[in-house]
Amino acid sequence: MNQWSNFSKGFLKENPVFILLLGLCPALGVTSSAINGLGMGLATTFVLVMANIVVSLIKGFIPDKVRIPAFIVVIATFVTIVEMTMQAYVPALFDALGLFIPLIVVNCLVLGRAEAFASKNNVGSSIVDGAGMGLGFAFALTLLGGVRELLGSGHFFGFAIYPEDYGMLVFVLAPGAFIALGYLIAILNRLKKA
Amino acid sequence: MGKRASSLPNMVLTLLMITAVAGGSLGFVFQMTKAPIEAAAVAKQQEAIQLVVPDFDNDPAAEMYELTSSEGFPLKVFPARKGEELVGVAIETMSNRGFSGEIKIMVGLKPDGSIINYQVLEHRETPGLGTKMDDWFKPAVVVEGRKEPGTRLLDGFFGIKAGESGDTKNILGKHPGTTRMVVKQDGGEVDAITAATITSRAFLHAVEVAYTTYTERTDAASSATTQYNEEEGGDNEPVE
């Protein structure tokens, strides 16, 4: 498979959030600001790439019936490593994402790529797939977070654009996440048709 | 590449190997990050203390002692001294009356009990509503003639102005003994955060608890200083 299309499919053609609708729990939960979305996306990308590498390396040794538990252990290990590393070196970001880092384990995007791609392809393709999908996920989360932050609190990446009092508060809260995601999916579908 | 058969020994062995390697690598990372994680927690505490009390030259964390509030939870008190003189105390206080979970704040009091500054340490309030408490109760910062902090792009274009509010939001420099630390809705003297009255109540409650617990203890202590020192001798070690 052409490595470039393998990489770039994560951004638009098979974007995890906008097209595959995978990993929506963190996508809706943490994206109250653009920076939170970006941080969560990059943490997921790291886990995705590392899990893809390991899964594609050990795929030959794992009996079929226990492949899912084996994948979960690999993913959980990397998530815990990310969690401890963030807590140690970027405590501010850890405070903001806190609860959601352990949830990367159950993000079906990570398990989905391990099962659907890494367990059938070689290491190189798996890295490219993990990076593309992860960055596509980060892109989607940042976009969603940016829209919600801008409409909800008048900020963008923490910079004030207009007075906070005129923001539509609902976009910062959970219902706004669903509304914003729905409109973003609709816009992207329209753009794809054009 | 041929898959290995899903026989029982194969499955057990594979899972055992994977979990063993996973456990080993986690132990290694834990060892690596243990010290930085602790250092980060200490740095956060130090930063909060420095923000809420004036210049000091002792080590407040080393002199930390605990008080128990009337509701039974522990408050950590960090005395800040310059030379021999007590210039203020940083009190780590909390309230569980928030919108969701506990609110932990570090509040700095002068020896007479008036509030110097505060810093929110930990909370799970609603983003965009309760989270405003980080700055809400501090005086409005004047940035280039504007009352609100930061740049306001649309101010110049449309003449939109952020809601003006008087000094009643601000609690810095006030004395909980003379200014009632209760939101206006409840007959107090402090403006609650717009759309986050519950958070405001919990926040002010935490401040109030810190003040009453600390002043009660110091009143008792000043009448029997020697006794107090002996009593507190064992508690001076930092408690996790």
Side-chain angles (χ1 to χ4, degrees):
Chain A
M1 191 194 241
N2 180 339
Q3 293 294 18
W4 171 245
S5 69
N6 187 12
F7 177 77
S8 63
K9 72 177 186 290
F11 282 85
L12 285 176
K13 215 169 119 245
E14 287 181 32
N15 188 289
V17 175
F18 295 134
I19 310 293
L20 302 180
L21 301 180
L22 283 176
L24 288 188
C25 163
L28 296 171
V30 297
T31 53
S32 58
S33 70
I35 195 78
N36 282 3
L38 187 63
M40 184 70 188
L42 293 181
T44 310
T45 305
F46 174 79
V47 173
L48 203 52
V49 172
M50 297 310 285
N52 265 8
I53 292 175
V54 174
V55 165
S56 69
L57 281 176
I58 62 175
K59 62 176 186 283
F61 304 102
I62 301 174
D64 255 350
K65 278 187 183 163
V66 290
R67 69 181 195 285
I68 300 288
F71 294 167
I72 291 279
V73 171
V74 170
I75 295 166
T77 306
F78 283 116
V79 169
T80 316
I81 289 175
V82 168
E83 188 182 4
M84 290 195 286
T85 313
M86 280 178 77
Q87 201 175 357
Y89 300 108
V90 276
L93 192 60
F94 180 79
D95 282 347
L97 299 177
L99 181 69
F100 293 97
I101 298 293
L103 285 181
I104 300 177
V105 179
V106 289
N107 187 338
C108 31
L109 171 64
V110 184
L111 185 62
R113 294 326 288 177
E115 167 75 7
F117 197 92
S119 68
K120 298 187 182 77
N121 290 278
N122 62 27
V123 181
S125 304
S126 298
I127 295 176
V128 174
D129 174 77
M133 278 291 170
L135 291 177
F137 188 67
F139 160 72
L141 258 60
T142 312
L143 186 61
L144 185 56
V147 168
R148 289 180 62 192
E149 193 181 2
L150 185 63
L151 294 178
S153 66
H155 289 58
F156 190 70
F157 274 103
F159 295 106
I161 307 292
Y162 61 87
E164 203 167 331
D165 297 18
Y166 293 87
M168 287 173 277
L169 201 60
V170 68
F171 279 100
V172 179
L173 306 176
F178 285 90
I179 298 171
L181 179 64
Y183 274 105
L184 283 177
I185 291 175
I187 291 170
L188 281 182
N189 274 340
R190 183 70 189 81
L191 287 180
K192 255 178 48 172
K193 271 190 190 160
Chain B
M1 202 186 295
K3 295 252 173 188
R4 292 209 300 169
S6 297
S7 66
L8 186 65
N10 264 354
M11 294 197 287
V12 171
L13 260 178
T14 314
L15 284 183
L16 197 69
M17 268 167 53
I18 290 176
T19 44
V21 172
S25 48
L26 280 185
F28 177 71
V29 175
F30 177 74
Q31 287 294 332
M32 295 280 293
T33 54
K34 201 177 164 200
I37 288 176
E38 278 166 11
V42 170
K44 199 177 161 191
Q45 197 181 53
Q46 289 286 354
E47 208 175 287
I49 295 173
Q50 264 162 20
L51 190 85
V52 300
V53 286
D55 295 332
F56 53 86
D57 52 17
N58 67 331
D59 180 7
E63 295 181 37
M64 197 261 310
Y65 59 92
E66 286 203 355
L67 294 178
T68 308
S69 77
S70 53
E71 285 169 38
F73 47 76
L75 303 180
K76 287 181 189 165
V77 182
F78 303 90
R81 290 191 175 80
K82 190 157 199 173
E84 282 302 296
E85 192 198 355
L86 185 70
V87 290
V89 283
I91 305 178
E92 194 183 314
T93 176
M94 53 157 282
S95 172
N96 48 16
R97 296 187 187 179
F99 199 67
S100 69
E102 292 174 351
I103 298 176
K104 274 193 183 163
I105 53 178
M106 183 79 83
V107 56
L109 300 179
K110 282 187 186 156
D112 70 357
S114 60
I115 298 164
I116 304 166
N117 204 342
Y118 73 87
Q119 167 96 320
V120 180
L121 299 176
E122 224 182 282
H123 69 84
R124 293 203 197 105
E125 303 305 296
T126 318
L129 295 177
T131 46
K132 283 187 195 155
M133 72 181 151
D134 288 349
D135 295 311
W136 181 270
F137 299 103
K138 294 177 183 174
V141 184
V142 179
V143 182
E144 291 166 22
R146 292 199 180 101
K147 266 209 144 179
E148 294 287 318
T151 51
R152 299 286 178 181
L153 215 65
L154 295 187
D155 273 12
F157 295 123
F158 305 112
I160 295 175
K161 284 214 178 68
E164 301 265 321
S165 51
D167 195 38
T168 42
K169 275 164 67 173
N170 176 25
I171 63 163
L172 304 192
K174 299 201 174 155
H175 193 287
T178 54
T179 307
R180 281 196 66 201
M181 286 293 140
V182 179
V183 296
K184 278 189 174 165
Q185 284 93 324
D186 300 343
E189 295 176 43
V190 183
D191 272 337
I193 303 167
T194 314
T197 310
I198 294 174
T199 306
S200 311
R201 279 186 189 129
F203 176 88
L204 293 173
H205 173 68
V207 173
E208 179 102 53
V209 165
Y211 168 76
T212 46
T213 314
Y214 178 69
T215 47
E216 269 167 28
R217 168 47 73 99
T218 40
D219 286 350
S222 53
S223 58
T225 317
T226 42
Q227 210 182 343
Y228 160 76
N229 279 341
E230 277 164 24
E231 235 176 61
E232 283 300 320
D235 285 356
N236 277 352
E237 271 129 59
V239 179
E240 258 322 300

